[in-house]
């Protein structure tokens, strides 16, 4: 069943999928068994996973979407996305989006700094061949809103150029490292040729947020199946309650970050 004007859409944000991730990646990881159980629930509820580009295009053109659309996204480019997540996605025929930090992936562009074992480019190509959209996530995973203009442009454009060279197709979707952005960052991402971008926000995505500030829901090691069900089919109020503590911390840190930007002459916007 399709709808021309669907309501809010849950965009799930994953990072590492691993049995024993590095300590630095543990909190934002999920175990392979938990991921399999979560995808089984996605199927049981009759949800239809879409790529980021598919959702954004439908909202941009007022196109039709499935009755229960959902996005499954992965940030950074951890090796377990190929090893553990891809077989589960293939089992159900689910689409997904992988946002890669090109300077973290194993291969000729690796500049170090990754928190755990990362994908190599052959694995990224295998994911793309299986129908996963490959998007940008900067080159070295910095806090983009804290960068000067020249470095911001480098991080955004270099990421796009490497993905295009390695995959033979330009990426059209972007995700902000740490979820941080500003009007200046969003303008840069748009100028670099990305058509849409995802933040975090821990809220349902809505068309009114605009194509460069779509919000996502964090899936953690501590996210049990009942909590995951609320992310998938809960109301905005359910989700606001689930992430109430996150919102308080985010608002407090936003004030600090704005002061840092102003102190560096980057503008508080």
């Amino acid at each position: 069943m399709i709808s021309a004007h669907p309501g809010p859409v849950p965009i799930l944000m994953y990072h590492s999928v691993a049995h024993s991730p590095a300590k630095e990646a543990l909190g934002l990881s999920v175990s392979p068994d938990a991921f399999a159980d979560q995808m089984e629930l996605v199927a049981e509820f009759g949800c239809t996973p879409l790529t980021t580009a598919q959702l954004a295009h439908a909202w941009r053109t007022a196109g039709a979407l499935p009755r229960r659309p959902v996005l499954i996204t992965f940030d950074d480019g951890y090796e377990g996305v190929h090893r553990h997540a891809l077989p589960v996605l293939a089992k159900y025929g689910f689409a997904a989006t992988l946002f890669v930090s090109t300077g973290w992936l194993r291969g000729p562009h690796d500049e170090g700094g990754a928190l755990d074992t990362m994908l190599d480019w052959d694995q990224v190509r295998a994911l793309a061949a299986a129908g996963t959209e490959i998007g940008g996530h900067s080159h070295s995973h910095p806090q983009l809103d804290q960068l000067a203009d020249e470095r911001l442009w480098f991080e955004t454009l270099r990421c796009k150029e490497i993905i295009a060279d390695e995959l033979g197709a330009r990426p059209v979707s972007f995700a902000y490292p740490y979820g941080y952005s500003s009007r200046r960052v969003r303008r840069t991402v748009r100028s670099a040729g990305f058509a849409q971008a995802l933040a975090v926000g821990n809220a349902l995505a809505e068309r009114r947020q605009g194509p460069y500030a779509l919000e996502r829901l964090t899936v953690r090691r501590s996210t049990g199946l009942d909590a995951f069900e609320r992310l998938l089919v809960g109301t905005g109020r359910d989700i606001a309650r689930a992430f109430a503590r996150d919102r308080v911390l985010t608002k407090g840190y936003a004030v600090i970050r704005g002061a840092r930007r102003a102190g560096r002459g980057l503008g508080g916007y």
Side-chain angles (χ1 to χ4, degrees):
M1 183 180 296
I2 59 176
S3 169
H5 301 286
V9 175
I11 302 181
L12 307 174
M13 182 182 66
Y14 290 93
H15 288 76
S16 170
V17 182
H19 291 292
S20 301
K23 180 180 179 181
E24 294 81 1
L26 179 62
L28 287 176
S29 71
V30 297
S31 72
D33 289 342
F35 183 77
D37 289 344
Q38 290 164 3
M39 294 303 102
E40 182 178 4
L41 204 60
V42 171
E44 286 180 359
F45 277 103
C47 299
T48 302
L50 305 171
T51 66
T52 302
Q54 287 171 334
L55 176 67
H57 176 75
W59 275 352
R60 189 175 288 115
T61 62
L65 286 172
R67 183 173 64 90
R68 280 189 172 175
V70 63
L71 271 64
I72 301 164
T73 70
F74 302 90
D75 281 9
D76 302 343
Y78 294 97
E79 195 269 346
V81 176
H82 179 270
R83 180 186 299 272
H84 300 298
L86 179 56
V88 179
L89 296 171
K91 173 183 176 181
Y92 294 106
F94 285 170
T97 305
L98 167 67
F99 295 102
V100 296
S101 293
T102 49
W104 279 13
L105 300 189
R106 289 181 290 150
H109 317 291
D110 187 354
E111 296 188 5
L115 303 181
D116 207 344
T117 304
M118 308 304 286
L119 296 161
D120 62 33
W121 284 101
D122 284 341
Q123 291 172 319
V124 175
R125 281 186 280 272
L127 283 155
T132 299
E133 179 188 358
I134 308 301
H137 196 47
S138 81
H139 183 59
S140 64
H141 204 278
Q143 299 177 16
L144 295 178
D145 61 338
Q146 302 297 308
L147 301 181
D149 289 347
E150 184 177 355
R151 185 67 191 185
L152 172 59
W153 181 250
F154 169 83
E155 285 286 340
T156 309
L157 192 62
R158 181 62 176 148
C159 173
K160 179 189 175 185
E161 290 173 341
I162 290 174
I163 295 171
D165 287 345
E166 291 288 348
L167 303 184
R170 291 179 296 177
V172 296
S173 302
F174 190 88
Y176 307 110
Y178 308 101
Y180 302 145
S181 72
S182 64
R183 281 184 287 177
R184 182 176 65 98
V185 171
R186 293 189 287 274
R187 284 198 303 267
T188 301
V189 168
R190 181 174 182 173
S191 296
F194 291 98
Q196 51 273 330
L198 303 184
V200 181
N202 286 316
L204 296 171
E206 299 185 59
R207 186 177 177 181
R208 63 179 176 80
Q209 292 163 359
Y212 294 94
L214 296 175
E215 299 192 346
R216 292 189 286 174
L217 304 168
T218 306
V219 184
R220 299 185 171 96
R221 199 85 177 179
S222 59
T223 304
L225 208 54
D226 288 344
F228 182 81
E229 180 178 333
R230 288 192 292 273
L231 299 186
L232 199 61
V233 297
T235 65
R237 183 173 298 178
D238 294 332
I239 290 169
R241 284 197 294 265
F243 289 104
R245 182 173 180 274
D246 298 73
R247 288 173 177 273
V248 171
L249 293 174
T250 298
K251 287 180 180 178
Y253 199 35
V255 175
I256 297 172
R257 298 178 61 74
R260 287 177 180 170
R261 288 198 299 270
R264 293 172 185 171
L266 301 178
Y269 58 91

